[in-house]
Amino acid sequence: MGLHLLTFGEALVEIMRPDVDMPLDQPGTFTGPYPSGAPFIFAVQAARLGARVGAIGCVGAEIDGTPDGFARCLLDQLRADGVDTSAVLTLAQHTTGAAFVAYRKDGGRDFIFHLRHAAAGQLAPSMIDQPQIAALFNGLECLHLMGSSLSMHDDALALGTRMLEQAQASGAKISFDPNLRPQLMSLERAKTVFAPFAAAADVILPTVEEAMLLTGAPTADKAAVELLGDKSGRIVILKRGEHGCSVFSQTGRVDVPGFIVQEIDPTGAGDCFDAGFLTHWLRGDTPVEAARWANACGALAVTKRGPMEGAATAAQVQTFINVTQQRI
Ligand code: ATP
Ligand code: MG
């Protein structure tokens, strides 16, 4: 049986300050490592909802070639959740990627990434020629690509491009989350680089801001209509943070309200949202039903400190939907 979902990108652990206003330029305590990386948060959330899901990535090794401690931290979590790790390669010459995170009082976050020279920075288009990775495209239902992973470096973009071609040849659906990261790639370049992915996509999942920035449209609705284009059956979902999301299709727009929760840590909301939407949409739920699950997964994600801690199981999300009020 093929995978429901396949993605790719940065495998890393997160090491974070335990309290707000502990800047990264002064000595002090950290907590972690926590398994992380947007594509891997996505994969864990989809697996917890019952999807068969895999991700292409690279982790680092000890001197004897076995996965290093950070790699084991991530791999153990992926395996515990049933994520297919056959496409996570252990690279002998590199160490596992890491992100150091500090939280500001105003809700902002500061990061120091160790990625480009880590295993995570070694993603390359030739990875797809490895038999166990090529095999993941057989019977694949949907390829999910994120702009943040495509923005890392030219080889990551080239790998994403080959994955897109391979998935299209296999008849898989295509999903694209622009996940704009101006620190990694300028908006001007992202507009050009992301165009073929958006053009191929059956589902596009930007935030309102991302949709407006990418299209240059003056309103969210105009941006969504531009992204919809004339590809038959395409769905565009605009994420609206605590307000939930809006689902756009050729038949119009439906607003799906967010759930009322206390936000503790915003990391991973968008990834959990994408996983919730795609897992349910692939099962045959209507886009609006799938968007309700997506809102629930996104809302639960922000209630816990730590990138994957808020990714809930299907039963937990169902209970949450039953008992939690929505923001009308
Ligand atoms: P990321 O930083 O992970 O890329 P994002 O900016 O792509 O996140 P957001 O709009 O912040 O995405 O959040 C995605 C979804 O998660 C929202 O559309 C909503 O459904 C849910 N969500 C996020 N924040 C909250 C919140 N404070 N309360 C309720 N739901 C939320
Ligand atoms: Mg996002």
Side-chain angles (χ1 to χ4, degrees):
M1 252 187 315
L3 293 175
H4 296 115
L5 288 160
L6 177 66
T7 189
F8 92 109
E10 59 285 10
L12 57 97
V13 294
E14 215 165 287
I15 298 172
M16 58 185 71
R17 292 299 202 185
D19 291 305
V20 292
D21 281 342
M22 296 179 71
L24 291 172
D25 57 0
Q26 283 162 34
T29 50
F30 282 97
T31 165
Y34 290 95
S36 190
F40 291 90
I41 299 170
F42 168 84
V44 160
Q45 174 67 86
R48 288 182 189 169
L49 294 175
R52 290 189 304 278
V53 55
I56 301 178
C58 298
V59 293
E62 310 271 7
I63 201 97
D64 65 0
T66 59
D68 63 29
F70 288 172
R72 294 198 301 277
C73 171
L74 177 59
L75 288 169
D76 288 351
Q77 184 67 61
L78 297 176
R79 289 179 184 139
D81 283 307
V83 173
D84 186 315
T85 56
S86 55
V88 183
L89 305 184
T90 301
L91 305 185
Q93 304 300 322
H94 295 273
T95 54
T96 300
F100 295 85
V101 189
Y103 299 85
R104 284 187 251 118
K105 233 192 232 104
D106 64 8
R109 284 171 292 171
D110 293 312
F111 291 96
I112 294 176
F113 288 109
H114 165 60
L115 278 186
R116 184 64 186 104
H117 302 290
Q122 313 311 312
L123 291 163
S126 58
M127 288 176 74
I128 219 169
D129 299 320
Q130 301 218 7
Q132 85 274 22
I133 296 186
L136 296 180
F137 289 85
N138 296 333
L140 174 65
E141 290 190 17
C142 181
L143 177 72
H144 177 62
L145 294 172
M146 302 181 188
S148 44
S149 304
L150 298 170
S151 303
M152 280 196 300
H153 50 80
D154 288 349
D155 278 342
L157 176 60
L159 172 59
T161 302
R162 282 203 63 192
M163 289 177 73
L164 176 62
E165 290 162 2
Q166 187 89 15
Q168 287 180 304
S170 309
K173 292 194 160 41
I174 309 297
S175 160
F176 180 58
D177 179 342
N179 245 345
L180 283 177
R181 295 291 180 268
Q183 320 87 298
L184 294 176
M185 185 182 277
S186 72
L187 174 61
E188 282 319 303
R189 182 158 154 74
K191 280 183 182 174
T192 310
V193 160
F194 293 176
F197 298 95
D202 300 284
V203 181
I204 309 180
L205 300 143
T207 62
V208 169
E209 298 75 29
E210 287 168 344
M212 290 172 65
L213 284 169
L214 277 176
T215 58
T219 66
D221 280 32
K222 287 195 169 124
V225 168
E226 195 166 315
L227 289 172
L228 267 182
D230 52 13
K231 185 170 162 69
S232 98
R234 178 180 286 160
I235 303 159
V236 173
I237 316 269
L238 297 193
K239 293 177 228 174
R240 298 179 177 276
E242 64 180 11
H243 299 292
C245 65
S246 301
V247 179
F248 292 79
S249 65
Q250 300 301 348
T251 55
R253 160 187 172 163
V254 180
D255 293 332
V256 185
F259 290 91
I260 298 175
V261 292
Q262 199 200 343
E263 182 172 310
I264 306 289
D265 179 358
T267 304
D271 311 317
C272 291
F273 178 99
D274 293 353
F277 180 81
L278 292 172
T279 301
H280 278 267
W281 178 66
L282 289 173
R283 274 181 203 163
D285 285 12
T286 65
V288 171
E289 280 164 2
R292 204 154 66 97
W293 276 79
N295 278 342
C297 292
L300 278 162
V302 306
T303 60
K304 300 247 171 72
R305 175 66 66 90
M308 294 180 184
E309 318 309 301
T313 63
Q316 289 166 334
V317 181
Q318 183 67 73
T319 305
F320 174 83
I321 289 174
N322 293 344
V323 304
T324 312
Q325 283 200 322
Q326 285 174 283
R327 212 176 286 272
I328 308 296

